[in-house]
């Protein structure tokens, strides 16, 4: 009974909020109704516009004034908004979507990847070595050359780079190149010297210093626990380098068409860096930021409360990020039953329930959103239990924000019995389509066919009426919106293949995929009243694409490029013609 009572209250509050938000939008409508008197700053015409607004799903043109949308409709309708000072952009049929939003991103990590040599997409050892050599040529003598993203399984032939290969191209700079999965690093002799590693160094716990089985000589490959021997000697970033990494991460994100990223975890130190970069006008991307918890940063957020969006509503801080378990690949995801391919383990928790309980209650009272990383079915069940306990313990009248909109990040392997609980508890699943197409190569081994029924179950959540907030978890994945969109609608790998147990019925329609990357992440950030769809009164966040991703063949989605990114009516990225 208690539960029903609370749910009834939450529903009423939801309605009241929706009406309030609707009024907020409506208040801006007279502007558009008396359109003759409004002269737009910026007009987009001749577009193929998908609005993500169910009442008016398609349009040709958009008029923008003072950062907000004042008109959405036909080319003809744009005329009355055009004045002498209006800038008009002819889209020549290009596709316009509401500004894309990634609900789960690690901006600092993406920036870090940009700071170092990005070796993604190398096709052969020769290609790999050429890229490293080019970077060494621009590095000062003796300074570190750090790279990441290579993976030899895509090379022909498949072979690790050798110590001799790297010494030949980098005799005077230490070189440290991490394999895409983070489980191996290729290094040269200069790096090994700094790391104090020679042929006699014993293997550290959980790692291997790779040696030639015949000669006993070092090969230049460090595996898992041995990577730290060298990584620990690379000087940490200076504050200026950290700032540069953020700027580069933002530039990459805008260039791919993201208008907002929801940054899954961090500290106040990072918040201060973001604020400085906004103040200096160096970053334009919207960032919805979470603080790691439990811990001092989460405590401070609860104490100070959520901030109103800052810097023209570009920066919001109102969320705590909890990490409850590990990942599936390394068998850290907490499962209800042992791993199918390792019966001695069922994964582990990375946070203590006893610490989470009081934090959750305080967060709920203070109006702070909580988002929790939960991959395994045990982690998902436990966090739902903990959320439910908190919802019962803190009455709606004792909450600063009536509708908590708490989230589960990944919600990757969920026992089918727990899926409806997301709906009854109003918990938002925040899911990354690209994880499915990578993981489904090893998930059947880890989990067995039966447990895959509740794995990456996007459509099962959607059928319950839940919004699924889509994201990429970059830099764990590439962080490209077109890969996420493609993965969501196909549930196939990047070559168009799928396998047994991939559950094609869980893929989504293109209209759903569009909302997964626009309206639903906006909802998951309390922003659907002001962004997430192309509607009069909303912020003018737009992503312009080279092809109509709502109709083109599946594989062509991956060839689609971002032509233009608009944040708050400002063109923040434009592709070279
Ligand atoms: Zn993450």
């Amino acid at each position: 009974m208690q539960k029903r009572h609370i749910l009834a209250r939450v529903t009423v509050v939801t309605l009241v909020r929706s009406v309030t938000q609707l009024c907020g939008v409506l208040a801006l409508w007279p502007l558009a109704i008396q359109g003759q008197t409004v002269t737009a700053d910026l007009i987009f015409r001749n577009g193929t516009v998908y609005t993500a607004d169910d009442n008016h799903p398609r349009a040709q043109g958009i008029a923008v004034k003072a950062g907000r949308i004042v008109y959405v409709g036909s080319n003809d309708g744009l005329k009355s908004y055009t004045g002498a000072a209006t800038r008009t952009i002819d889209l020549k049929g290009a596709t316009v979507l509401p500004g894309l939003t990634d609900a789960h991103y690690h901006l600092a990590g993406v920036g870090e990847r940009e700071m170092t040599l990005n070796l993604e997409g190398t096709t052969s050892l020769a290609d790999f070595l050429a890229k490293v050599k080019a970077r060494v040529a621009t590095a000062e003598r003796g300074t570190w050359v750090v790279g990441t993203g290579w993976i030899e399984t895509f090379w022909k032939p498949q072979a690790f780079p050798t110590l001799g290969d790297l010494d030949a191209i980098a005799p005077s700079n230490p070189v440290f190149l991490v394999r895409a999965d983070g489980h191996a690093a290729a290094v040269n002799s200069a790096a090994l010297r700094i790391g104090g590693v020679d042929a006699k160094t014993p293997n550290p716990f959980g790692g291997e210093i790779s040696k030639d089985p015949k000669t006993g000589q070092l090969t230049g490959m460090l595996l898992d626990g041995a990577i730290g021997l060298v990584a620990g000697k690379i000087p940490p970033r200076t504050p200026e380098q950290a700032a540069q990494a953020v700027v580069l991460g933002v530039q990459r994100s805008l260039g791919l068409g993201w208008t907002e990223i929801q940054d899954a975890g961090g500290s106040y130190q990072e918040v201060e860096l973001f604020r400085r970069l906004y103040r200096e006008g160096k970053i334009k991307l919207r960032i919805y930021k979470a603080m790691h918890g439990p811990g001092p940063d989460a405590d401070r957020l609860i104490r100070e409360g959520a901030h109103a969006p800052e810097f023209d509503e570009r920066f919001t801080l109102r969320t705590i990020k909890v990490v409850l378990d590990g990942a599936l690949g390394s068998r850290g995801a907490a499962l209800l039953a042992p791993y199918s391919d390792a019966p001695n383990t069922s994964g582990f928790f990375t946070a203590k329930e006893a610490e989470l309980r009081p934090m959750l209650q305080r967060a709920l009272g203070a109006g702070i959103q909580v988002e929790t990383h939960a991959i395994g079915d045990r982690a998902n069940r436990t966090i739902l239990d903990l959320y439910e306990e908190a919802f019962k313990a803190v009455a709606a009248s004792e909450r600063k924000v009536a509708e908590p909109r708490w989230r589960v990040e990944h919600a990757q392997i969920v026992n089918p019995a727990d899926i409806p609980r997301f709906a009854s508890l109003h918990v938002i699943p925040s899911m990354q389509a690209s994880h499915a197409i990578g993981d489904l190569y090893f998930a059947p081994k880890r989990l067995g066919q039966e447990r895959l029924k509740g794995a990456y179950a996007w459509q099962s959540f959607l059928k319950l009426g839940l919004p699924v907030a889509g994201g990429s978890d970059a830099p764990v994945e590439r962080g490209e919106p077109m890969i996420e969109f493609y993965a969501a609608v196909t549930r196939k790998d990047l070559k168009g293949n799928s396998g047994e147990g991939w559950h094609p019925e869980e893929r989504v329609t293109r209209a759903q995929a569009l909302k997964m990357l626009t309206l639903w992440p906006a909802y998951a950030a309390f922003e659907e009243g002001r962004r997430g769809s192309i509607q009069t009164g909303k912020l003018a966040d737009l992503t312009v694409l080279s092809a109509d991703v709502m109709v083109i063949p599946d594989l062509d989605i991956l060839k689609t490029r971002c032509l233009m990114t608009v944040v708050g009516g400002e063109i923040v990225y434009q592709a070279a013609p």
Side-chain angles (χ1 to χ4, degrees):
M1 274 318 283
Q2 170 86 13
K3 183 169 148 200
R4 290 179 70 92
H5 178 63
I6 288 169
L7 285 181
R9 289 184 73 146
V10 169
T11 311
V12 170
V13 173
T14 308
L15 260 172
V16 171
R17 273 189 70 92
S18 306
V19 170
T20 316
Q21 271 151 357
L22 196 61
C23 291
V25 173
L26 284 173
L28 293 151
W29 275 15
L31 220 72
I33 292 162
Q34 306 151 12
Q36 295 77 357
T37 61
V38 174
T39 303
D41 306 324
L42 184 61
I43 275 178
F44 296 93
R45 51 182 287 112
N46 291 326
T48 305
V49 181
Y50 293 91
T51 64
D53 167 13
D54 290 337
N55 294 322
H56 306 280
R58 299 288 304 274
Q60 291 177 306
I62 301 159
V64 176
K65 170 112 184 149
R68 292 193 179 257
I69 297 165
V70 291
Y71 171 82
V72 187
S74 66
N75 283 332
D76 270 352
L78 289 167
K79 281 179 193 147
S80 56
Y81 294 87
T82 312
T86 304
R87 178 177 176 194
T88 297
I89 292 172
D90 185 346
L91 291 165
K92 303 189 173 105
T95 296
V96 185
L97 306 181
L100 296 173
T101 299
D102 190 319
H104 189 115
Y105 207 76
H106 301 279
L107 183 60
V110 171
E112 192 59 33
R113 190 171 62 184
E114 294 299 293
M115 290 282 279
T116 59
L117 176 59
N118 189 344
L119 294 163
E120 282 173 324
T122 46
T123 53
S124 65
L125 179 60
D127 179 25
F128 166 89
L129 292 172
K131 282 181 178 155
V132 178
K133 190 175 176 187
R135 175 58 73 106
V136 171
T138 66
E140 261 176 65
R141 193 184 162 86
T143 59
W144 282 87
V145 171
V146 177
T148 178
W150 63 275
I151 193 147
E152 84 295 343
T153 51
F154 292 137
W155 299 350
K156 279 185 191 129
Q158 292 179 18
F160 284 133
T162 67
L163 193 60
D165 289 336
L166 291 175
D167 284 345
I169 58 169
S172 321
N173 294 77
V175 168
F176 177 76
L177 308 162
V178 183
R179 195 170 183 259
D181 66 356
H183 288 281
V187 298
N188 66 350
S189 293
L192 288 168
R193 242 184 336 266
I194 294 171
V197 178
D198 62 30
K200 294 189 203 88
T201 310
N203 286 332
F205 174 75
E208 186 185 319
I209 301 163
S210 173
K211 292 181 192 113
D212 185 309
K214 282 183 204 141
T215 65
Q217 294 299 302
L218 297 173
T219 66
M221 291 299 300
L222 303 173
L223 308 182
D224 286 303
I227 297 171
L229 296 173
V230 168
K233 296 287 162 51
I234 301 173
R237 296 270 180 226
T238 64
E240 260 335 286
Q241 288 169 328
Q244 197 194 346
V246 172
V247 170
L248 289 173
V250 165
Q251 280 168 359
R252 176 188 157 92
S253 310
L254 293 171
L256 289 164
W258 298 120
T259 56
E260 173 175 300
I261 61 96
Q262 299 179 2
D263 209 24
S267 65
Y268 272 92
Q269 197 183 352
E270 230 181 332
V271 167
E272 287 318 315
L273 174 58
F274 289 174
R275 284 185 173 137
R276 191 191 101 202
L277 293 172
Y278 279 118
R279 255 192 315 270
E280 292 172 356
K282 288 184 179 152
I283 56 174
K284 302 280 189 178
L285 180 70
R286 292 189 205 279
I287 302 173
Y288 185 81
K289 180 73 177 159
M291 294 288 93
H292 276 306
D297 289 301
D299 288 343
R300 180 171 161 191
L301 182 58
I302 292 171
R303 215 170 44 241
E304 293 181 1
H307 294 256
E310 302 164 69
F311 307 104
D312 292 334
E313 304 184 57
R314 278 185 163 85
F315 183 67
T316 305
L317 176 61
R318 70 175 300 168
T319 306
I320 291 170
K321 162 82 182 292
V322 175
V323 179
L324 189 55
D325 67 346
L328 185 64
S330 47
R331 298 194 190 85
L335 300 179
L336 292 164
Y339 279 87
S340 301
D341 60 353
N344 57 334
T345 179
S346 50
F348 49 82
F349 282 155
T350 53
K352 296 190 180 110
E353 290 175 59
E355 285 177 15
L356 289 173
R357 266 188 201 98
M359 187 196 77
L360 291 175
Q361 293 188 17
R362 285 188 298 127
L364 190 58
I368 298 297
Q369 186 184 41
V370 176
E371 57 175 44
T372 302
H373 161 120
I375 302 242
D377 49 12
R378 184 157 58 99
N380 277 279
R381 177 167 294 173
T382 301
I383 197 62
L384 291 173
D385 289 346
L386 290 169
Y387 282 3
E388 187 170 9
E389 254 180 63
F391 295 159
K392 279 181 185 159
V394 183
S397 59
E398 295 163 29
R399 300 178 195 173
K400 207 162 173 192
V401 174
E403 218 182 316
R405 297 199 191 182
W406 284 5
R407 312 165 31 156
V408 173
E409 303 301 305
H410 312 308
Q412 225 169 70
I413 301 132
V414 184
N415 186 289
D418 290 324
I419 290 179
R421 295 179 67 203
F422 281 78
S424 59
L425 293 168
H426 300 271
V427 170
I428 301 165
S430 166
M431 304 175 79
Q432 301 73 37
S434 55
H435 281 339
I437 64 174
D439 290 9
L440 280 168
Y441 281 104
F442 60 81
K445 265 185 257 144
R446 296 272 188 284
L447 301 169
Q449 290 297 330
E450 185 59 28
R451 277 188 285 202
L452 289 177
K453 284 179 187 160
Y456 318 91
W458 315 315
Q459 197 57 260
S460 295
F461 285 111
L462 291 171
K463 279 186 182 143
L464 292 166
L466 282 159
V468 174
S472 68
D473 203 8
V476 175
E477 301 285 350
R478 297 257 288 269
E480 297 179 20
M482 289 303 107
I483 292 179
E484 298 305 325
F485 190 91
Y486 165 87
V489 299
T490 63
R491 218 171 159 91
K492 289 176 180 168
D493 72 12
L494 299 182
K495 291 186 174 134
N497 303 317
S498 73
E500 197 199 349
W502 284 40
H503 289 274
E505 73 280 6
E506 292 290 352
R507 66 175 186 253
V508 306
T509 66
R510 296 199 189 199
Q512 288 169 330
L514 175 65
K515 288 186 182 174
M516 280 173 75
L517 297 176
T518 57
L519 195 57
W520 294 333
Y523 177 85
F526 299 85
E527 291 173 346
E528 77 283 6
R530 55 189 167 94
R531 54 187 303 283
S533 60
I534 300 175
Q535 279 178 275
T536 305
K538 285 197 175 182
L539 292 164
D541 287 4
L542 307 168
T543 303
V544 183
L545 298 176
S546 63
D548 185 347
V549 290
M550 302 303 278
V551 299
I552 55 176
D554 289 343
L555 284 167
D556 288 350
I557 295 169
L558 296 170
K559 296 180 201 149
T560 303
R561 294 284 159 258
C562 173
L563 300 179
M564 189 187 284
T565 308
V566 181
V567 176
E570 184 180 350
I571 298 167
V572 290
Y573 169 78
Q574 198 160 6

